[in-house]
Amino acid sequence: MPPEELRGDRVLLRPAVEDDAPALAAILAEPAVAPWWPDYDLERVRKDLDGEQVIVVDGAVAGWLFTTEEEDPQFPCVSFDIALGTAFQGHGYGSEALRVAIRHQIERGHERFAIDPAADNERAIRAYEAVGFKRVGILRRYERVADGVFRDGLLMDMLAEELRERGSEG
C-alpha cells in the first residue's frame, strides 16, 4: 500500500482512488501517451487503481505512478512505471515524481531501483537518465503492443547513491 501522500516541490503523489479513473484513462488515451500504454481503457484503469499513486500538479491529475516492491529479500529492488499527461510533459514533473518516490523508498531501506521503458521511447529514457537511471540492456520482444506485435524494452536501473537531485529534465 502506498503512503498516504508524498510531496515534492511541485508534485504530490497520493493513493489513486476511483474518482481518478476517468482522468487517468483520458491521459492514457492521449495520442502522445497511448502508444506507450496500449490496451488501457477506463475498465482496465479502474482494475489497476488499487495500491498505485496519482501524480498531482497544481491540483490536477497529471499522471500515474506504479511502484512494485520485490518481496524476495535476496533480490531487493523497487520498480517503477510512470505515465504523464501531455500537458505536463517536458517540465520535469515526471522526474520530480520519480525522485520523490525513490527518496521515500531509500528512507525505507531500499538501495536498488529499476524502470523499463519501451526501447524507442527516447523522451522517457532521457528523463529517467536525468534522475540517475542507467541503461542496462535491451529486453528483446518484451511487450506486446496494440497491433499485436512485440517491441523491445530497455532495462534501466539505479542504485540509491546514484540518485540525481537535479539534472537535464525531459
Side-chain angles (χ1 to χ4, degrees):
M1 196 71 182
E4 192 58 34
E5 64 179 42
L6 300 172
R7 292 188 178 274
D9 292 335
R10 303 174 302 149
V11 302
L12 167 68
L13 301 178
R14 65 162 173 76
V17 296
E18 176 67 28
D19 288 346
D20 296 321
L24 292 170
I27 287 169
L28 298 178
E30 292 176 5
V33 179
W36 315 118
W37 290 81
D39 301 325
Y40 267 87
D41 58 12
L42 183 58
E43 181 180 331
R44 184 168 178 194
V45 168
R46 283 189 171 123
K47 185 178 91 91
D48 289 352
L49 283 175
D50 189 39
E52 305 306 342
Q53 292 176 294
V54 171
I55 302 165
V56 178
V57 175
D58 294 330
V61 172
W64 203 359
L65 181 66
F66 287 76
T67 303
T68 305
E69 187 174 355
E70 174 57 57
E71 295 181 14
D72 184 335
Q74 187 175 358
F75 301 99
C77 183
V78 176
S79 299
F80 299 100
D81 284 298
I82 186 171
L84 201 61
T86 307
F88 299 95
Q89 294 178 11
H91 304 285
Y93 296 125
S95 297
E96 182 178 341
L98 282 170
R99 285 184 184 103
V100 168
I102 290 166
R103 282 193 302 265
H104 172 72
Q105 295 296 339
I106 290 170
E107 289 172 5
R108 295 184 63 235
H110 285 284
E111 297 182 6
R112 185 174 173 280
F113 307 93
I115 199 161
D116 58 357
D120 57 344
N121 190 345
E122 285 298 323
R123 185 177 199 153
I125 292 166
R126 283 192 310 273
Y128 305 151
E129 287 175 332
V131 173
F133 285 95
K134 296 183 181 353
R135 298 171 192 230
V136 174
I138 297 294
L139 301 160
R140 299 178 303 152
R141 296 185 191 158
Y142 182 63
E143 175 184 28
R144 185 185 309 271
V145 293
D147 59 6
V149 300
F150 284 88
R151 70 173 162 214
D152 293 345
L154 176 65
L155 177 60
M156 303 178 78
D157 76 357
M158 180 182 72
L159 301 176
E161 63 268 17
E162 296 169 331
L163 177 63
R164 294 183 189 159
E165 287 302 327
R166 294 284 182 236
S168 162
E169 307 295 351

